[in-house]
Structures are given as C-alpha cells and as structure tokens.
Amino acid sequence: MFESIVFYAFGLILLVSALCVITARNPVHAALFLVLAFFTASAIWLLLRAEFLAITLVLVYVGAVMVLFLFVVMMLDINLERLREGFWRNLPAALVVGGLMAFEMVSVLAYRVYGMPRPNDQPLSYSNTKELGRLLYTDYVYAFEIAAVILLVAIIAAIALTLRRRKDARGQDPSQQARVRREDRVRLVTMPSEKDA
Amino acid sequence: MLEALLAYAEFKLGPTWGPAAYELVTDLVFIIAIVVPLMLSVAYLTLWERKLIGWMQIRLGPNVTTFFGIRWLGGLAQPVADGIKLLFKEVILPANANKFLFILAPIAMLIPALAAWAVIPFAPDVVLADINAGLLYVMALTSMGVYGVIIAGWASNSKYAFLGAMRSAAQMVSYELAMGFALVVVLMVSGSLNLSDIVAGQGKGRFAEIGLGVLSWNWLPLAPMLVVYFVSGVAETNRAPFDVVEGESEIVAGHMVEYSGMTFALFFLAEYMNMILIATLTVVMFFGGWLAPIDSALTNAIPPALWLLGKIFLTVSLFLWFRATFPRYRYDQIMRLGWKVFIPLTLVWIVVIGAWMQTPWSLWR
C-alpha cells in the first residue's frame, strides 16, 4: 500500500520530468530535467531492491555524465528560431523512430505486465552488490572484459581523433620546470654600493 | 524506554501504523541529533579556522566579540555574530539571473552534504541507516555536490561566476575518479561496502591482537591511498590550495560572486559541511573510525564516539593547516596532478594490493 503510493509518486515525477526534457525551451533546463529523471528512475530501482544499480545510476549518470553534459550545453550559443525551423520537416521521421522505439520496449516488457513478479523479500544482510559482482566476474567474465576492451578502444579513438598539435602551441614541460637550477636563472653581480669619488 | 514508546504507538495506532509512526519519530529525532551538532560544529569550525591560521601567522585571530561582556570568552561569540549579520543582510537577486535556479543552487549544494551523514557510523551500532551499499551511497552523494556550483555559475548570468563554475565542474569530476579508485582499494581489503564493517574490519589483524590496533588500521598498509584520498578530498571541496574555483585574485569569488546574505551563507555552510564530511570519511576509511588506537584500560574507558570526534577534529584541522601553508595551485597543475599522477597511482595500487592479498603474507583474512 505505502510502497505503491511511493511508486506512483515517483512514476509521476519521472514521466513529467522526462516530458519536460523534450519540451523545455532552454537546453540547460532540459538537461536539469534529465538529471531529475535519472534521479527518480534510480529511486524506482531502489523500490525494486536493486540498490547497486540505483546508486550506480546516480554515481555515473548524475554525478559524471550529466555534469559534462551541462558543461557543454551551457557553453552553446543556441538560436531558438533556427532550431525550430526544421520541426515540421523532421516530424514524420521522428514519429517513425519514436514509434519503433516504443514498440520495441513494450514488446520486451509486455509479457510481464500482467504478472510482474514482485522482488523476493531478502534478509537484511543480503548484498545485491556482492551477488552482481560474483556473477560479473565469474559467469560473465568474458562479456565483461570484451565490454571493457571496447570502451578502452573508444577512449583511445576519441583522444586520437581530437588530438591535434598546433605548430604554434606553447606548452610547459613540468619535469623541465622542476629541474631548473638557480644558476640558470639568477646571476649574482657584485658591485660597490657607492662610487668612489 | 524505547520499547515502551513502541508499545504505546502500537496501542494507539494499531499494529500496521504504530511501528511505522515509531520508526518515523525515532528517525526524525536521530536526524535532528546529527544535524544540529553538525551546524554548530560548522559555526565553530569557522572560528577555529580563523584562530588557528591566526596563530600560525603570529596573529591573535578574533578575540573581541564575546557573550555578556565576559572578557575571557573573547572571540567565542564571533560565529554567532557572523550568523546574525548574514541573516539580516538583503538577498540580492541579479536582474538578469534565472531566479528559480539562482535560489536552488545553494540548496542543491547543501542537501547532498547533509544527506551523506545518514550512513556514517558514530559508534558500534550507532548509525542512522546501516545499509549494505553505504560506501557507494556516500560516493554518489558527494559526486552530486558539483551541481550546486554549476547551477550557481550559470544562473547568476555573470562571467566571473560562469568561469568559476566551469573550473569547478572540470576539477571536481577529475578528482572524483581518483577518490573512487582509492576507495576501491579500501573496499578490496575490507570485503564490504558497509561503513560499520569497514571500521570493524580495521580492528582485526596481527597488531590488533597484541593491543596495537593503531598499526592495524588502513592508513599504514594503504598509505599512498590515504594521501590520494585526502588530497583529492581537499580538491573536491574546493579548499586551498585547490581553490581556483573562487580564486579571488582572478575571478573575484567564482560561483559565489552574485550571492549575498543567507544564500551566500548556505554556500559557506555547505563548504564547511563537506570539509567535515571528507574528514569523517577519511577517519572511517583509514583511521579506524571509532576504534581506540591501543588496547588499555585508559583508552578503553573513553567512549568510541569521542575517539571518532577527536580524530575528525585533527583531520579537519589539516584542511586549515593546508590553507595556511600552501600557495594556490595553477589550474593546469591541478589537472595534471589529478589525471596524470593520482589516477595512474591508484590504478597501479589496486593491482599491487590485489596481488598482495593473494600471497601468504596477506594482512586481510
């Protein structure tokens, strides 16, 4: 009873904030609504007793990804008129893509709608994190490592694509800075403080 | 007495709502018992900071403001005076600021700093929420503190504030990684994400058996991680020498430049609260939390919570010592330290500790 009230409250917040993400005029507001949506989704996962996934969602998406997202969005110079230009032209394609995505999600979840199993009541000492860790590092270790390698390749590719050395770029070499000696920088000159008359 | 209260609640409200109401009331009382002393310690931390830095620079620090004109209490009323001053100052909303986000920013900064205290164990079995994923919870909440700064910088509609926000976003995200990896090492040796278990685990080991618990705590075998964690903590809270976010010689006060009165006071409160939080986490992860350093009649007579408070006090004072000692880092040096020194160091140390744990000389079994 209490749990369903909480669930519907979170569900409502999630839907409204997700709607606001696509309707908000200001992109910074949209990004902040996305943060709220992530946060609420993580609260719903907590209700499902998936504490590891819930906290990781906050840690990774809210704590890191969305911060960088905001970082970029805040620096954009956005012209609302130009953004709205293509709305009607792009609408049919957007509807097709959106409809397909909705259909896929429903078909994945539909068979459970009528008999969604409630999570088992586990004893208080049950650690979701430990179980997930055990599964990931034993049964699914190859999948896990392949995913890790793909991510590594993606990181290196992203760096390689954007790393362009300009000829006139000036940089500092910290090790060279640390190796500086007094003799290179200071020259002591002895001179009499007064001229002989 | 607590059982009597529970029985009374069940009698009045019935078997379903009675225990729920009892839980609610006891939890609220516990929350107040954490938050009120925390606010007071923030107030007096500001005084301690000014006093300590004053002594380090051969000055006196605040020594005039006093209660009821009693001379030897000189200085002790300073936080109260500061608080009253901030409370009565006008909150100025800049004309072109985004009003809602402008007000939201200091609140968004304060809430995670407060909420993280829910899982901190103060003594054996004295913890508000004894959850299994406590460490993850703390990491998730400390990673959210950056929103207050970013939103403040953007909503102020000011160049200085915006520059401060940009600097802080990059800095805090970078140092979170090193902090997280340092905590992974702690997690590996404790085998638990529960903060109470992490503290209790530090009380076992070869040295603890002969009564020298202080040598069994994580700070000794994980010394490099302690340094990485604490220095990253200083960067994460935007304290000197990593306070380029509000470097007054370049960008006035950074994200706080447009704030005044109580809105500014909330930022201030959140900063000091975060300092105490990082110090507490350092104590819990590396300095044995509530454990007494040696096993003797005298040290065991002191309650565990006092040991924890004493350790937190010393660790928080380190923040102030840093501020009095080091000049501000240059921005590229901050980034270099985070990405090119700390992250590789922690990654290597994870492998080293992992290998160590597989050898017969492992300290953690």
Side-chain angles (χ1 to χ4, degrees), chain A residues 29 62 66 74 124 126 172, chain B residues 98 132 147 150 154 330:
Chain A
H29 290 175
V62 177
M66 286 312 295
M74 279 177 183
L124 212 58
Y126 177 80
Q172 284 149 332
Chain B
N98 187 317
N132 282 326
Y147 278 101
I150 299 187
W154 186 78
R330 214 170 55 202

Side-chain angles (χ1 to χ4, degrees), chain A residues 28-40:
Chain A
V28 172
H29 290 175
L32 287 173
F33 274 119
L34 192 55
V35 171
L36 180 62
F38 278 136
F39 206 78
T40 327

Side-chain angles (χ1 to χ4, degrees), chain A residues 47-187:
Chain A
L47 282 182
L48 289 170
R49 313 218 194 341
E51 82 262 9
F52 180 76
L53 284 178
I55 297 178
T56 314
L57 181 70
V58 173
L59 186 65
V60 175
Y61 282 89
V62 177
V65 174
M66 286 312 295
V67 173
L68 297 177
F69 218 89
L70 269 177
F71 191 99
V72 174
V73 165
M74 279 177 183
M75 284 195 281
L76 292 179
D77 182 24
I78 287 167
N79 188 343
L80 276 178
E81 286 306 311
R82 282 200 53 203
L83 270 184
R84 274 205 222 116
E85 254 172 27
F87 183 80
W88 292 109
R89 198 157 33 96
N90 293 332
L91 190 65
L95 278 181
V96 170
V97 173
L100 260 178
M101 273 167 71
F103 172 73
E104 281 173 4
M105 279 191 274
V106 169
S107 57
V108 167
L109 296 173
Y111 75 96
R112 291 199 177 165
V113 166
Y114 303 103
M116 183 78 162
R118 279 177 56 82
N120 303 330
D121 278 327
Q122 303 287 1
L124 212 58
S125 62
Y126 177 80
S127 174
N128 194 301
T129 319
K130 212 171 205 164
E131 290 301 314
L132 264 175
R134 187 168 295 143
L135 269 183
L136 263 187
Y137 289 102
T138 53
D139 295 1
Y140 298 103
V141 68
Y142 288 124
F144 180 76
E145 285 186 351
I146 290 169
V149 170
I150 292 174
L151 277 176
L152 183 68
V153 171
I155 293 174
I156 295 172
I159 294 174
L161 279 176
T162 51
L163 190 71
R164 291 205 190 96
R165 249 179 214 294
R166 270 170 45 196
K167 247 179 274 164
D168 55 341
R170 283 179 296 176
Q172 284 149 332
D173 182 0
S175 63
Q176 219 171 8
Q177 286 179 320
R179 258 180 294 162
V180 160
R181 298 159 162 283
R182 192 187 66 120
E183 290 81 47
D184 306 339
R185 295 286 167 92
V186 186
R187 190 163 53 97

Side-chain angles (χ1 to χ4, degrees), chain B residues 158-188:
Chain B
S158 147
K159 287 189 182 64
Y160 291 125
F162 192 65
L163 277 173
M166 290 294 113
R167 287 182 178 192
S168 100
Q171 179 181 331
M172 286 168 97
V173 170
S174 320
Y175 277 89
E176 244 156 49
L177 288 172
M179 259 178 132
F181 280 134
L183 290 185
V184 165
V185 180
V186 174
L187 159 68
M188 277 163 60

